[in-house]
Amino acid sequence: MNPEPIFDLAHLAHVELLTPKLEESTRFFVDVLGMSESDRAGDSVYLRGWDDYEHHSLQLTASPQPGLGHYAFRASSAQALQRRVAALEEAGYGKGWKKDNIGHGPAYCFTDPDGHNLEIYYETEWYKPPEHLRPALKNQASRYPDHGIGLRRIDHINLLASDVRATRIFMQELLGMRLTEQIIFDDGSEKASWLTATNKSYDVAIAEDWTGTRGRLHHITYAVDSREAILRAADICLEHNVFMETGPHKHAIQQTFFLYVYEPGGNRFEIANAGARLILAPDWKPIIWSEAERKKGQAWGLPTIPSFHEHGTPPVEAADATPDA
Amino acid sequence: MNPEPIFDLAHLAHVELLTPKLEESTRFFVDVLGMSESDRAGDSVYLRGWDDYEHHSLQLTASPQPGLGHYAFRASSAQALQRRVAALEEAGYGKGWKKDNIGHGPAYCFTDPDGHNLEIYYETEWYKPPEHLRPALKNQASRYPDHGIGLRRIDHINLLASDVRATRIFMQELLGMRLTEQIIFDDGSEKASWLTATNKSYDVAIAEDWTGTRGRLHHITYAVDSREAILRAADICLEHNVFMETGPHKHAIQQTFFLYVYEPGGNRFEIANAGARLILAPDWKPIIWSEAERKKGQAWGLPTIPSFHEHGTPPVEAADATPDA
Amino acid sequence: MNPEPIFDLAHLAHVELLTPKLEESTRFFVDVLGMSESDRAGDSVYLRGWDDYEHHSLQLTASPQPGLGHYAFRASSAQALQRRVAALEEAGYGKGWKKDNIGHGPAYCFTDPDGHNLEIYYETEWYKPPEHLRPALKNQASRYPDHGIGLRRIDHINLLASDVRATRIFMQELLGMRLTEQIIFDDGSEKASWLTATNKSYDVAIAEDWTGTRGRLHHITYAVDSREAILRAADICLEHNVFMETGPHKHAIQQTFFLYVYEPGGNRFEIANAGARLILAPDWKPIIWSEAERKKGQAWGLPTIPSFHEHGTPPVEAADATPDA
Amino acid sequence: MNPEPIFDLAHLAHVELLTPKLEESTRFFVDVLGMSESDRAGDSVYLRGWDDYEHHSLQLTASPQPGLGHYAFRASSAQALQRRVAALEEAGYGKGWKKDNIGHGPAYCFTDPDGHNLEIYYETEWYKPPEHLRPALKNQASRYPDHGIGLRRIDHINLLASDVRATRIFMQELLGMRLTEQIIFDDGSEKASWLTATNKSYDVAIAEDWTGTRGRLHHITYAVDSREAILRAADICLEHNVFMETGPHKHAIQQTFFLYVYEPGGNRFEIANAGARLILAPDWKPIIWSEAERKKGQAWGLPTIPSFHEHGTPPVEAADATPDA
């Protein structure tokens, strides 16, 4: 018998994004993307999409450079949290507990092999909407927004890593995530991997950092309900003079319908259609895309935009970079 | 510490629908709904949506009366299957193994307290599309159909039960399903319950049978990708003279965007937008709808259609029925 | 040779709506429907959709009762205006010129046989958006709104008339409008007629007033771009506690995808999908719907809501009303 | 007083497309695009979209090279036809009457200054659907298709011309078309013009032929009902291995939501969202796009694809071509 799948991660919970322009980034996420502000404390602003059930799913933190502060998973139970912490400690990736957190209980801090900061926790604060954000239907977390793009919920994070393979194996072995798709080049090198802890087809993606730098961010993604909502998002971005890097279009890999923009702090941000695609098979066989297949570009023929292999945060001097299309 | 959630069911796998008009039902599911036929054997036709990964998700079986033959879950592992079988046997609901199955391995047969027939299995046959159904993108199960409504995958089953509460508790305790929404009347009676084994907000719904009959079916549901796809489905049903019972509209409960039709054999069938709504919280608190709330009808004000409380399969004489709106 | 079609009307230009709650109505049209305010003067507020090219398409005027103030057409040229004025004067329907108008030049005032007030003019003021409403694309009248439902433009007016036939013939003979659809009952009585001055399938509809009252209003309608935009409108109305009378659904007649709401002043308001349906044939043969066909309800089977034959503005005592379904 | 607008053209009626692969082109238009075949005669196949009210809107004719055979307008009346014929004859562009036509009455043949062949006629044959194409709603021309992309109706033709200005002036002065948008370069050269005879924002577009050749075709376009229908079209083209040149995306000019493909004969074909955008102003002021504005690409930032200035039909040796982006 094969080993059983592990269900200790409940879902991607939040991302801390660093921004050199905290106010402008906040205005962008609230006014253009339609998120709501839950809290402010220290150098951070806490935000959420209208159907995120926790206190926040995005923490913006003032910083000289854009990039990733940390990201966090919620465990599926108190016991599951203990199991993951034990495994991480034993493997030597643990950094210890952070007790005093805004919006959730004690979090265990650790890093992946590439140096990205992660946290895992179980106890959380369910969002309680104020009167003006109370929804008409009580089975949604807060009011459906009547302004801006109206992001529904956090969807996934896309990391840049100097070593995709090592980070991917860490995700599988230490966190129990399941591999759904990969790009493997002809020389056997692993260029990108997509992993999930849920029925979504991915919660984390890892792509090779062409500069060889460790611990950087490619983008984070929030979900809206339909492809039409993404076309509308593009219309709204156009009116707000938001830089649209590429899209709306459909990825061949994972079939995500996407629009990529840059937020004012410089981080890449994706608006995606969560759609109906789910991975329900518990023994899903990872889809492998070859070098030749990747060269074909996006699903309907749009070439992959070169800046996808040139822009990450924080920015680095790409002197020794060997980008590949 | 609370007990941990159980993840032994992977997903709703298939439904066997009884029909007195096998050929007409088959033509409806293939020509109008856009499903593909996987196999025929004995009195049954095996069908699937374009992104169902297994051999089939629907079995149509010739029968004098419409209704439910059985429905089945796939377990999340061989070990999970063993655990569930042990629990069912111990509780006295088990009926034994069925070894020789089309499209999947050995299945353990059992009934719920209301008499619906169920099966659970782990080993399965992944669908291998013939040349003309091979998809352009290899991360989908088969070709996106260019005819008919184009159902993507099985979504949920909605049972009628003489005793909703007993059936619901069985689902929770014996199968590990999680309760997400309920209708509880002022007198405390449980009128309907929705349960999930996945991140979908429900895989099984149970509604009170107004006739007091045991083991009947309200409807089964398949998913398409967007609300617009459901409007298009209504346009296609109109041209094919399909009886549309109610919709397109949006349920308040679960917020499903729906269209209900009757298939030629007499069973109610729902086309729903799977959409972006997911239950990611592992400790989701069930939403309780009151008698007064249910009276409000659907999300945007459409009254619940009376036939929702008058039509189930197989049909029964409703002499002693006490329907409630 | 048949007589040539007349092209003297360019389009429905604006409607003056009477409301006993001017401020609340204004807030509804701006905040919920996403219109912009062009001007205020006296007891009136002037509004427009984001792609209405004129100064305004809606004038809200404070009044003890809701209902229709007047509605107006723009002529297709100065000469066309003169021709229509000459015809109206000769037929005895004219009331004379109104020179001093907000947003447009001299208007010729007249009434239809049922007593509705109309105006026709040619000279107009093109809308010039202030900086914050300037569009990114210069081929649209103003910025695509990032709040509310975002009505694009005025679409049509639906009049109640004690004598549908007389009003319809007036529209054809005096204004040159073209008849596109009708409801004619078995006894030959004309229950409703739809007429157009453009390639839209109707700009004016006339329905029988079941109370026999003259000069009332059934509803006015604005267009959005897609059916999905109307579903989103319903979601927004739900959150704003707006009364949704019926819809979203699709009319059989004219195939309009609709959502009917009541504005705070009590007038019925329709949000419709302008869609791709155009009448391009210059010799279109009117479609006649029979009594039996009308009884079938809307396109996908929704029964026509009884209040469609009970609510008009201003309200009247329906003591002697003979409503028909 | 300004001269009055001319309303003698009712609409673009049909296009004759030349194809070296008549059978393959026919299969593409019927099976993938979802058109229906009205007739076959000689070397031609006659096709229509489901809401085209005439006998056909597309004539495919076998020919050694792809390209434009001719295109035709329907006049708005018999008198309007006579006026246009008189004007064309007087100006020396006429070629005489063609009496014996499939699907319509006598047509007057002429050429524009660039050598494209045109026809104008009034008498026409309304399409009468056979039983299996009879629509459920009698206000549409034929059944909404349940297969393929389901093109609704012909939308526009985009001509290549060695002299855009001369052809555009011809359209305005001899046919009474109205200019809605233009690209004018800094040196004053007219690179492209869009003209309409209806409330659609264009029925004919004329773009500069970079090879200096006369009488070629850039593409023809059919309309579907929504942007989502175009995304679905891309999904279907992907499964059918249809070459998608560019899109889905939104043009800045005219704001058309587009998908460009090549039909098997080599002609470029556009699927567009007819949408809600109408030109209702009878005195619309043409929008002028500069060289710098054109360089910005499409509405949401997609660069204009180079093949837009390299591929026309029939193909020519581009030895002396001076393409501009």
Side-chain angles (χ1 to χ4, degrees):
Chain A
M1 257 189 263
N2 293 321
E4 293 192 60
I6 294 170
F7 298 103
D8 286 352
L9 298 194
H11 59 86
L12 175 66
H14 61 256
V15 175
E16 182 190 22
L17 217 51
L18 308 180
T19 169
K21 299 181 177 176
L22 182 61
E23 249 343 285
E24 284 172 69
S25 292
T26 303
R27 293 270 50 84
F28 172 75
F29 281 101
V30 172
D31 296 343
V32 180
L33 296 180
M35 297 182 78
S36 69
E37 190 178 316
S38 301
D39 214 342
R40 290 196 178 219
D43 284 335
S44 292
V45 177
Y46 296 83
L47 301 161
R48 49 184 288 291
W50 63 268
D51 206 25
D52 280 320
Y53 74 92
E54 294 186 275
H55 172 272
H56 66 274
S57 59
L58 182 62
Q59 177 186 357
L60 296 177
T61 299
S63 176
Q65 290 283 349
L68 175 67
H70 77 280
Y71 72 103
F73 291 102
R74 191 171 175 216
S76 58
S77 66
Q79 297 87 332
L81 175 59
Q82 291 175 343
R83 280 192 295 268
R84 287 311 106 206
V85 170
L88 289 161
E89 283 193 334
E90 187 187 322
Y93 288 102
K95 299 198 303 183
W97 289 92
K98 186 165 179 291
K99 301 272 175 177
D100 201 24
N101 299 301
I102 288 183
H104 60 87
Y108 187 77
C109 305
F110 59 104
T111 55
D112 69 22
D114 214 72
H116 303 94
N117 296 315
L118 289 93
E119 295 180 6
I120 183 169
Y121 65 89
Y122 175 65
E123 289 170 30
T124 195
E125 181 183 325
W126 284 66
Y127 179 72
K128 286 184 200 66
E131 183 57 34
H132 71 285
L133 293 181
R134 203 159 296 167
L137 298 176
K138 59 188 179 180
N139 50 5
Q140 73 188 46
S142 62
R143 193 181 172 104
Y144 175 71
D146 58 11
H147 72 280
I149 289 166
L151 301 179
R152 180 170 197 142
R153 62 165 166 72
I154 191 168
D155 192 82
H156 66 266
I157 184 168
N158 190 308
L159 308 166
L160 289 173
S162 61
D163 185 342
V164 172
R165 188 171 175 276
T167 307
R168 184 260 300 169
I169 291 173
F170 170 88
M171 293 286 178
Q172 292 176 284
E173 298 190 347
L174 278 296
L175 300 178
M177 297 191 81
R178 295 174 291 283
L179 179 65
T180 56
E181 305 204 13
Q182 287 189 293
I183 300 169
I184 307 279
F185 269 20
D186 301 345
D187 63 2
S189 60
E190 184 169 333
K191 292 296 177 181
S193 285
W194 284 257
L195 300 111
T196 187
T198 62
N199 291 127
K200 293 166 57 245
S201 64
Y202 57 119
D203 299 310
V204 174
I206 312 162
E208 189 184 67
D209 195 319
W210 53 90
T211 67
T213 313
R214 300 171 71 248
R216 293 208 299 159
L217 176 70
H218 196 266
H219 67 265
I220 65 166
T221 303
Y222 273 66
V224 292
D225 280 20
S226 67
R227 303 199 286 195
E228 178 62 30
I230 289 174
L231 303 182
R232 180 176 170 271
D235 283 330
I236 288 177
C237 285
L238 174 64
E239 294 290 16
H240 281 274
N241 209 21
V242 172
F243 174 67
M244 290 180 267
E245 186 187 29
T246 186
H249 203 91
K250 177 179 175 166
H251 283 303
I253 300 175
Q254 299 287 2
Q255 302 201 17
T256 313
F257 193 74
F258 63 83
L259 172 64
Y260 289 93
V261 302
Y262 292 174
E263 58 90 26
N267 294 293
R268 183 186 282 110
F269 186 87
E270 183 191 22
I271 306 163
N273 175 26
R277 188 169 184 247
L278 297 176
I279 301 294
L280 297 168
D283 52 351
W284 177 261
K285 289 128 192 93
I287 305 294
I288 313 296
W289 302 87
S290 70
E291 194 161 355
E293 287 168 333
R294 173 167 158 175
K295 283 226 176 77
K296 288 186 189 172
Q298 308 307 325
W300 299 322
L302 183 72
T304 301
I305 201 154
S307 54
F308 249 49
H309 302 285
E310 293 161 9
H311 178 79
T313 50
V316 295
E317 289 300 322
D320 51 354
T322 12
D324 48 73
Chain B
M1 256 190 266
N2 293 321
E4 293 191 59
I6 293 170
F7 299 102
D8 286 351
L9 298 195
H11 59 87
L12 175 65
H14 61 257
V15 175
E16 183 191 20
L17 216 52
L18 307 180
T19 169
K21 298 182 178 175
L22 182 61
E23 249 342 282
E24 284 172 72
S25 292
T26 302
R27 292 271 51 84
F28 172 75
F29 282 101
V30 172
D31 296 342
V32 181
L33 297 180
M35 297 183 77
S36 69
E37 188 179 317
S38 300
D39 214 341
R40 291 198 177 216
D43 283 336
S44 292
V45 178
Y46 296 83
L47 302 161
R48 46 184 291 290
W50 63 269
D51 206 25
D52 279 319
Y53 74 91
E54 294 185 273
H55 173 271
H56 66 275
S57 59
L58 181 63
Q59 178 185 354
L60 296 178
T61 298
S63 176
Q65 290 282 348
L68 174 68
H70 77 280
Y71 72 104
F73 292 102
R74 192 173 174 214
S76 58
S77 65
Q79 297 88 334
L81 175 59
Q82 290 176 342
R83 280 192 294 269
R84 285 312 104 206
V85 169
L88 289 161
E89 285 193 334
E90 189 187 321
Y93 288 102
K95 300 197 301 183
W97 289 91
K98 185 163 178 294
K99 301 273 173 175
D100 201 26
N101 299 300
I102 287 184
H104 60 87
Y108 187 77
C109 305
F110 58 104
T111 55
D112 68 23
D114 214 72
H116 302 94
N117 295 315
L118 288 93
E119 295 180 6
I120 182 169
Y121 65 90
Y122 175 64
E123 288 169 33
T124 196
E125 182 183 324
W126 284 65
Y127 179 70
K128 285 181 202 69
E131 183 57 34
H132 72 285
L133 294 180
R134 202 158 294 165
L137 298 176
K138 60 187 178 182
N139 50 5
Q140 74 189 45
S142 63
R143 193 180 173 105
Y144 174 72
D146 57 12
H147 71 281
I149 289 166
L151 301 179
R152 182 173 196 138
R153 59 163 168 72
I154 192 168
D155 192 81
H156 67 266
I157 185 168
N158 190 309
L159 307 166
L160 290 173
S162 61
D163 184 340
V164 173
R165 187 170 176 275
T167 308
R168 185 258 299 168
I169 290 173
F170 169 88
M171 293 286 177
Q172 291 176 288
E173 299 191 346
L174 276 297
L175 300 178
M177 297 192 80
R178 296 175 290 284
L179 179 65
T180 57
E181 306 203 13
Q182 287 188 293
I183 300 169
I184 306 280
F185 270 18
D186 300 346
D187 63 3
S189 61
E190 183 168 333
K191 292 297 179 182
S193 285
W194 284 258
L195 301 110
T196 187
T198 61
N199 291 127
K200 294 166 57 245
S201 63
Y202 58 119
D203 299 310
V204 174
I206 312 162
E208 189 185 68
D209 195 319
W210 53 91
T211 66
T213 313
R214 298 171 70 249
R216 292 207 302 157
L217 176 70
H218 196 268
H219 67 266
I220 65 165
T221 304
Y222 273 66
V224 292
D225 281 20
S226 67
R227 304 200 284 195
E228 177 62 29
I230 288 174
L231 303 182
R232 181 177 169 272
D235 284 329
I236 288 178
C237 286
L238 174 64
E239 293 291 15
H240 282 273
N241 208 22
V242 173
F243 174 67
M244 290 181 268
E245 185 186 31
T246 186
H249 203 93
K250 177 180 174 165
H251 283 303
I253 300 175
Q254 299 287 3
Q255 302 200 15
T256 312
F257 192 75
F258 63 83
L259 172 64
Y260 289 93
V261 301
Y262 292 174
E263 59 89 26
N267 295 293
R268 183 186 280 109
F269 186 86
E270 182 190 23
I271 307 164
N273 174 26
R277 187 167 185 249
L278 297 176
I279 301 294
L280 297 168
D283 52 352
W284 177 262
K285 289 128 191 95
I287 305 293
I288 313 296
W289 301 88
S290 70
E291 195 161 352
E293 287 168 335
R294 173 169 158 173
K295 283 226 176 76
K296 286 185 188 171
Q298 309 307 323
W300 299 321
L302 183 72
T304 300
I305 199 153
S307 54
F308 249 48
H309 301 285
E310 294 162 7
H311 178 79
T313 49
V316 295
E317 288 302 319
D320 51 355
T322 10
D324 48 73
Chain C
M1 257 189 266
N2 292 320
E4 292 191 59
I6 293 170
F7 299 102
D8 285 351
L9 298 195
H11 59 86
L12 175 66
H14 61 256
V15 175
E16 182 191 20
L17 216 52
L18 307 180
T19 169
K21 299 181 178 176
L22 182 60
E23 251 339 286
E24 284 172 70
S25 292
T26 303
R27 293 270 49 86
F28 172 75
F29 281 101
V30 171
D31 295 343
V32 180
L33 296 181
M35 298 183 75
S36 70
E37 188 178 317
S38 301
D39 213 342
R40 288 193 181 225
D43 283 335
S44 292
V45 177
Y46 297 84
L47 301 160
R48 49 183 288 292
W50 63 268
D51 207 24
D52 280 319
Y53 74 91
E54 293 186 273
H55 172 272
H56 67 274
S57 58
L58 182 63
Q59 178 186 354
L60 296 177
T61 298
S63 177
Q65 290 283 348
L68 175 68
H70 77 280
Y71 72 102
F73 291 102
R74 190 171 176 216
S76 59
S77 66
Q79 296 88 333
L81 175 59
Q82 290 177 344
R83 280 192 296 268
R84 287 310 106 207
V85 170
L88 289 161
E89 285 194 331
E90 189 187 321
Y93 288 101
K95 299 197 303 182
W97 290 91
K98 184 162 178 295
K99 301 273 175 176
D100 202 24
N101 299 300
I102 288 183
H104 59 85
Y108 187 77
C109 304
F110 58 104
T111 55
D112 68 23
D114 214 73
H116 302 95
N117 295 315
L118 288 92
E119 295 181 5
I120 183 171
Y121 64 89
Y122 175 65
E123 289 170 31
T124 196
E125 181 183 324
W126 284 65
Y127 179 71
K128 286 182 201 68
E131 182 57 33
H132 72 286
L133 293 181
R134 202 158 296 166
L137 297 176
K138 60 187 179 181
N139 50 6
Q140 73 190 47
S142 62
R143 193 180 173 106
Y144 175 71
D146 56 12
H147 72 281
I149 288 166
L151 302 179
R152 181 172 196 140
R153 60 164 167 72
I154 191 168
D155 192 81
H156 66 266
I157 185 168
N158 189 309
L159 307 166
L160 289 174
S162 60
D163 185 340
V164 172
R165 187 171 175 275
T167 307
R168 184 258 301 168
I169 291 173
F170 170 88
M171 293 287 176
Q172 291 176 285
E173 297 190 348
L174 277 297
L175 299 177
M177 297 191 82
R178 295 175 291 284
L179 179 66
T180 56
E181 306 204 14
Q182 287 189 292
I183 299 169
I184 307 279
F185 269 20
D186 301 345
D187 64 1
S189 61
E190 183 169 334
K191 292 296 178 180
S193 285
W194 285 258
L195 300 111
T196 187
T198 62
N199 291 124
K200 292 165 60 244
S201 63
Y202 57 120
D203 299 311
V204 175
I206 312 162
E208 188 183 67
D209 195 320
W210 54 91
T211 66
T213 314
R214 299 171 70 249
R216 294 207 302 159
L217 176 69
H218 196 267
H219 67 264
I220 65 166
T221 303
Y222 273 66
V224 292
D225 281 20
S226 66
R227 303 200 285 195
E228 177 62 31
I230 288 172
L231 303 182
R232 182 178 168 270
D235 283 329
I236 289 178
C237 285
L238 174 64
E239 294 290 16
H240 281 273
N241 208 22
V242 173
F243 174 67
M244 290 180 268
E245 187 186 31
T246 186
H249 203 92
K250 177 177 173 168
H251 283 303
I253 300 175
Q254 300 287 2
Q255 302 200 17
T256 312
F257 192 75
F258 64 83
L259 172 64
Y260 290 92
V261 302
Y262 292 174
E263 60 88 27
N267 295 294
R268 183 185 282 109
F269 186 86
E270 182 190 23
I271 307 164
N273 174 27
R277 187 168 185 246
L278 296 176
I279 301 294
L280 297 168
D283 53 351
W284 177 262
K285 288 126 192 96
I287 305 293
I288 313 296
W289 302 86
S290 70
E291 195 161 355
E293 287 169 333
R294 172 168 159 174
K295 282 224 177 79
K296 287 186 189 171
Q298 308 307 325
W300 299 322
L302 183 73
T304 301
I305 200 153
S307 55
F308 250 49
H309 300 286
E310 295 161 7
H311 178 80
T313 51
V316 295
E317 289 300 322
D320 51 354
T322 10
D324 50 73
Chain D
M1 257 190 266
N2 293 322
E4 293 192 59
I6 294 169
F7 299 102
D8 286 351
L9 298 195
H11 60 86
L12 176 65
H14 60 256
V15 175
E16 182 191 20
L17 216 51
L18 308 179
T19 169
K21 299 180 178 177
L22 182 60
E23 249 343 282
E24 285 172 69
S25 292
T26 302
R27 293 270 51 84
F28 172 75
F29 281 102
V30 172
D31 296 342
V32 181
L33 297 181
M35 297 182 76
S36 69
E37 191 179 315
S38 301
D39 213 343
R40 290 197 177 217
D43 285 334
S44 291
V45 177
Y46 297 83
L47 301 161
R48 48 185 289 292
W50 63 269
D51 206 24
D52 280 318
Y53 73 92
E54 294 186 273
H55 172 272
H56 67 274
S57 60
L58 181 63
Q59 178 186 355
L60 296 178
T61 299
S63 176
Q65 290 283 347
L68 175 68
H70 77 281
Y71 72 103
F73 291 102
R74 191 172 175 214
S76 58
S77 65
Q79 297 87 335
L81 175 60
Q82 291 176 343
R83 280 192 296 269
R84 287 311 106 206
V85 170
L88 288 161
E89 284 193 332
E90 187 187 323
Y93 287 100
K95 299 198 300 182
W97 290 90
K98 185 163 177 295
K99 301 274 173 173
D100 200 25
N101 299 300
I102 288 183
H104 59 87
Y108 188 77
C109 305
F110 59 104
T111 55
D112 70 21
D114 214 72
H116 302 94
N117 295 315
L118 289 92
E119 295 181 6
I120 183 170
Y121 64 90
Y122 175 64
E123 289 169 32
T124 196
E125 180 183 325
W126 284 65
Y127 179 71
K128 286 184 202 67
E131 184 56 35
H132 71 286
L133 293 180
R134 203 158 295 166
L137 297 177
K138 60 186 179 183
N139 51 5
Q140 72 189 46
S142 62
R143 194 179 171 103
Y144 175 71
D146 57 11
H147 72 280
I149 289 166
L151 301 179
R152 181 171 197 141
R153 62 165 165 69
I154 192 168
D155 192 82
H156 66 266
I157 185 169
N158 190 307
L159 307 167
L160 289 173
S162 61
D163 185 340
V164 172
R165 186 171 177 276
T167 307
R168 184 259 300 169
I169 291 174
F170 169 89
M171 293 285 177
Q172 292 176 287
E173 298 191 345
L174 277 297
L175 299 178
M177 297 191 81
R178 296 175 290 284
L179 180 66
T180 56
E181 306 204 14
Q182 286 189 292
I183 300 169
I184 307 279
F185 270 19
D186 301 345
D187 63 3
S189 60
E190 183 169 332
K191 293 296 178 182
S193 285
W194 284 258
L195 300 111
T196 187
T198 62
N199 290 127
K200 293 167 57 246
S201 64
Y202 58 120
D203 299 310
V204 174
I206 312 162
E208 190 183 68
D209 194 320
W210 54 90
T211 67
T213 313
R214 299 171 70 247
R216 292 208 301 159
L217 175 69
H218 196 267
H219 67 265
I220 66 166
T221 303
Y222 273 66
V224 292
D225 281 20
S226 67
R227 303 199 286 194
E228 177 62 29
I230 289 174
L231 303 183
R232 182 177 169 272
D235 284 329
I236 288 178
C237 285
L238 173 64
E239 293 290 17
H240 281 273
N241 208 21
V242 173
F243 175 67
M244 290 181 267
E245 186 186 30
T246 186
H249 203 92
K250 177 179 175 166
H251 283 304
I253 300 175
Q254 299 286 3
Q255 301 200 17
T256 312
F257 193 75
F258 64 84
L259 172 64
Y260 290 94
V261 301
Y262 293 174
E263 58 90 26
N267 295 294
R268 183 186 281 110
F269 186 86
E270 183 190 21
I271 306 163
N273 175 26
R277 186 167 186 246
L278 297 176
I279 301 294
L280 296 167
D283 52 350
W284 177 262
K285 289 129 191 93
I287 304 294
I288 313 296
W289 302 88
S290 71
E291 194 161 354
E293 288 168 333
R294 172 168 157 174
K295 283 225 176 78
K296 287 185 189 172
Q298 308 307 324
W300 298 323
L302 183 74
T304 301
I305 200 153
S307 55
F308 249 50
H309 302 286
E310 294 160 10
H311 179 79
T313 50
V316 295
E317 289 299 321
D320 51 356
T322 12
D324 48 73

